[in-house]
Amino acid sequence: VWVNCLRVIKANIGEQSFKTWFQPIVPVQLHNNVLIIQVPSQFFYEWLEEHYVEVLKKAIYQELGPEGRLEYSIVVDQGNAQTKPRTLNLPTSHKAAGPAPVATPAAALATGPMSSSARNVAAAAAQPAQPATLRNPFEASKAIDRNYLNSQLNHSYTFENYIEGDCNRLSRSAGLAVANKPGTTSFNPLMIYGGVGLGKTHLVQAIGNHIKATNTDKFVLYVSAEKFTNQFIESLRSNAVQDFANFYLLVDILILDDVQFLSGKDKTQEMFFHIFNHLHQAGKQIVMTSDRPPRDLVGLEDRLLSRFKWGLTADLQSPDFETRMAIIQNKMQQDGIDIPPQVVEYLAHSVNTNVRELEGVLISLVAQSSLNRREIDLEMAKQALRHIIEEVEAEVNLDFIQKTCAEYFSVPVELLKAKTRKKEVVTARQVAMYFAKEHTSHSLKSIGHHFGGRDHSTVIHSVQTVSDLIDSDKSFRSTIQELRKKFAGK
Ligand code: ADP
Ligand code: MG
């Protein structure tokens, strides 16, 4: 049965991938339409689950029919002597694709007769950790049928349901431009940054979905920087760095989410740097997100940061009241929720932190309403907001920022709110505003308000001044870094 499966698979994917990922698999058992195969590591399992699940489904379906299932057994330790086979039963694949059965991908140890050509991948599993060498990581394998590669995109994130507002206009239109002409605009790479829950992931996924829908021959890949890092580390461990690199070089549109995660991870950065260069040079589109502006990405190598400047960097701000209204209304329509207008307004007014929070409140309202068989009303909304408001207060708040900055610069905290133009006070005030923008979800207007009723343009000016100083003045930069530590993790 497995041999027949392999035939199906072979017909559908490139030779290189077939050799690497399928030839070495060891069939273990077939019982009641359940085929068990042996794989060398969790990493292999995950890799195949991600990238070849469709072709595996197809093969199992053809061989075993709709009842057919695939399970895998993982070699826990390196070397088959310590093999502790574990049969894992996977839930139905995350991709609901057609009538295909649950399929679980696998690759296996270099133990069977098939494995002789299995390259370093399988060999690595048998020989305990040799330091992986980056021999020629960019010898890309070409003949992969991209239709079977999984983009890891969530289809519910689209441009249609991404509400436009002042807060996201530039990012959104840059995203659309990239989505329409991937790799050929000057927005390469496109870097979107903004605080948590402001729609970074949604936007970049929308780009990916749009490209996928309009360019079926392009391989779009969405990956979080965290996952990228874990995959890379695992590939080092299993001596499969080359396969890791080869795979990423196949990508036409690479979307790397939360790039700040690479901070301090030098090896991973180096790998990403090479992949970046290679893809960029080949005219492939790169899209990234970060929770802070590139200049604040401490712990990222300069050569990588300088690459980010090649394209366009655009930010996402907190949505204003009208945009929040529109987001709620859109969500209601999408999910068929009915909420009285004054409640919608109350929510849009009260939840001014971020969009994720706003959606969270909506969901909990809907849940409560159906649980208690009660229409959603203002009372219920107020109740639901109670814990949110507490959470907001628990995050670094403006008072704390003001107090900390005032202390640091040895000025009385009241002066931050006064009219004083004394130099030390001005610096402390500007730095405090800068951190207020970075660490709280207050709008510029609200920040200004908390600094003695200054207007939002003063806040913009302060933030800009501080950012410029960070760029131009080394000692100032370390001051900021030191202060930032006081707010980090809060
Ligand atoms: P981030 O990645 O910046 O933390 P997400 O992209 O995960 O934020 O967004 C959080 C939630 O808010 C998601 O459910 C997303 O769909 C929604 N969202 C964010 N911005 C918008 C927008 N402009 N229109 C509609 N929904 C949005
Ligand atoms: Mg995100």
Side-chain angles (χ1 to χ4, degrees):
V1 167
W2 181 239
V3 170
N4 286 335
C5 284
L6 286 179
R7 199 167 297 142
V8 174
I9 293 164
K10 193 168 186 177
N12 280 295
I13 69 167
E15 194 185 293
Q16 187 67 67
S17 331
F18 179 77
K19 274 190 192 165
T20 307
W21 301 106
F22 293 97
Q23 224 174 38
I25 290 173
V26 178
V28 178
Q29 192 189 37
L30 177 65
H31 185 63
N32 288 341
N33 280 332
V34 179
L35 176 64
I36 300 176
I37 52 179
Q38 193 183 35
V39 307
S41 72
Q42 182 70 20
F43 170 66
F44 266 73
Y45 157 64
E46 283 170 8
W47 189 270
L48 285 155
E49 166 74 357
E50 276 179 35
H51 306 303
Y52 299 105
V53 69
E54 295 304 325
V55 70
L56 270 155
K57 277 183 178 180
K58 183 173 170 175
I60 294 291
Y61 188 79
Q62 285 195 10
E63 276 312 302
L64 298 175
E67 299 298 304
R69 295 202 325 160
L70 187 66
E71 290 179 8
Y72 73 104
S73 128
I74 301 178
V75 178
V76 176
D77 286 307
Q78 303 208 327
N80 49 0
Q82 304 107 308
T83 298
K84 273 188 268 160
R86 210 166 20 130
T87 302
L88 293 194
N89 235 323
L90 274 131
T92 314
S93 161
H94 48 278
K95 262 187 115 186
V102 177
T104 319
L109 270 175
T111 48
M114 299 182 290
S115 61
S116 49
S117 57
R119 308 199 308 151
N120 55 345
V121 175
Q127 308 157 6
Q130 271 185 7
T133 46
L134 243 163
R135 255 174 308 148
N136 175 13
F138 304 119
E139 154 222 311
S141 38
K142 297 203 172 53
I144 288 191
D145 181 340
R146 283 148 201 247
N147 292 322
Y148 286 99
L149 295 168
N150 189 334
S151 284
Q152 308 294 318
L153 289 166
N154 177 338
H155 299 285
S156 58
Y157 291 131
T158 63
F159 278 108
E160 288 71 51
N161 62 24
Y162 194 72
I163 304 298
E164 183 172 358
D166 287 342
C167 54
N168 60 30
R169 209 174 307 280
L170 174 64
S171 293
R172 189 179 184 280
S173 55
L176 256 179
V178 162
N180 284 319
K181 293 185 160 181
T184 59
T185 67
S186 55
F187 307 155
N188 197 12
L190 174 64
M191 162 69 102
I192 303 291
Y193 73 89
V196 66
L198 294 184
K200 300 181 295 293
T201 298
H202 186 139
L203 178 58
V204 298
Q205 289 245 4
I207 296 172
N209 280 317
H210 187 94
I211 298 174
K212 233 186 125 177
T214 47
N215 297 273
T216 41
D217 58 323
K218 292 248 191 320
F219 176 29
V220 181
L221 183 72
Y222 168 89
V223 65
S224 68
E226 180 172 8
K227 192 164 183 184
F228 180 89
T229 304
N230 292 340
Q231 287 177 343
F232 175 62
I233 292 171
E234 184 55 38
S235 78
L236 279 173
R237 207 181 64 74
S238 52
N239 217 3
V241 172
Q242 203 155 346
D243 297 294
F244 177 90
N246 283 345
F247 175 77
Y248 275 92
L249 298 183
L250 289 172
V251 175
D252 292 310
I253 288 92
L254 178 62
I255 303 171
L256 189 72
D257 203 358
D258 291 318
V259 76
Q260 75 276 355
F261 189 84
L262 300 186
S263 281
K265 304 188 173 65
D266 299 349
K267 278 257 160 56
T268 313
Q269 279 183 42
E270 188 187 335
M271 175 50 96
F272 179 58
F273 181 75
H274 288 303
I275 291 171
F276 182 106
N277 285 340
H278 187 95
L279 292 180
H280 195 273
Q281 223 163 45
K284 305 298 168 69
Q285 179 72 44
I286 297 155
V287 177
M288 292 174 288
T289 74
S290 157
D291 70 352
R292 65 202 76 173
R295 63 167 173 274
D296 292 345
L297 281 168
V298 182
L300 239 61
E301 281 183 59
D302 286 344
R303 59 176 186 167
L304 197 51
L305 287 176
S306 78
R307 293 293 188 271
F308 296 174
K309 296 196 185 126
W310 286 359
L312 179 79
T313 299
D315 71 337
L316 293 174
Q317 299 277 344
S318 298
D320 55 26
F321 177 74
E322 286 74 22
T323 312
R324 297 199 295 270
M325 286 287 284
I327 289 173
I328 299 176
Q329 281 156 354
N330 174 64
K331 190 82 186 147
M332 282 165 52
Q333 200 186 20
Q334 203 176 313
D335 298 355
I337 309 168
D338 206 16
I339 299 178
Q342 78 267 27
V343 177
V344 174
E345 229 180 283
Y346 172 75
L347 292 178
H349 186 78
S350 321
V351 189
N352 52 12
T353 46
N354 66 52
V355 184
R356 185 174 300 146
E357 202 87 76
L358 196 57
E359 288 187 349
V361 176
L362 263 186
I363 291 166
S364 85
L365 277 181
V366 171
Q368 274 183 47
S369 139
S370 79
L371 212 63
N372 304 328
R373 297 171 193 283
R374 204 179 118 192
E375 298 284 309
I376 294 173
D377 56 19
L378 206 52
E379 183 59 29
M380 196 189 277
K382 287 190 173 155
Q383 197 70 26
L385 277 188
R386 225 172 251 168
H387 77 280
I388 299 282
I389 287 165
E390 277 163 18
E391 268 175 32
V392 170
E393 280 166 0
E395 78 176 53
V396 181
N397 63 32
L398 279 174
D399 286 346
F400 179 74
I401 289 175
Q402 290 177 334
K403 202 170 134 275
T404 310
C405 292
E407 259 169 33
Y408 189 91
F409 291 101
S410 311
V411 302
V413 68
E414 310 82 66
L415 289 188
L416 299 186
K417 300 177 188 177
K419 297 258 171 281
T420 321
R421 302 285 315 155
K422 262 193 172 154
K423 191 162 184 312
E424 317 85 80
V425 178
V426 172
T427 306
R429 189 186 291 136
Q430 290 180 333
V431 169
M433 285 183 178
Y434 174 86
F435 281 117
K437 175 159 179 295
E438 183 172 297
H439 283 289
T440 74
S441 23
H442 284 274
S443 63
L444 294 172
K445 197 169 153 197
S446 162
I447 293 174
H449 176 77
H450 284 84
F451 282 83
R454 292 176 154 82
D455 66 12
H456 82 285
S457 62
T458 308
V459 181
I460 293 178
H461 173 76
S462 301
V463 171
Q464 192 57 51
T465 306
V466 172
S467 304
D468 290 347
L469 276 172
I470 292 175
D471 284 343
S472 61
D473 179 342
K474 263 222 162 85
S475 83
F476 187 80
R477 188 182 316 150
S478 49
T479 298
I480 293 293
Q481 281 171 7
E482 213 172 302
L483 266 169
R484 181 174 284 118
K485 280 189 209 136
K486 299 186 197 283
F487 304 127
K490 277 251 185 180

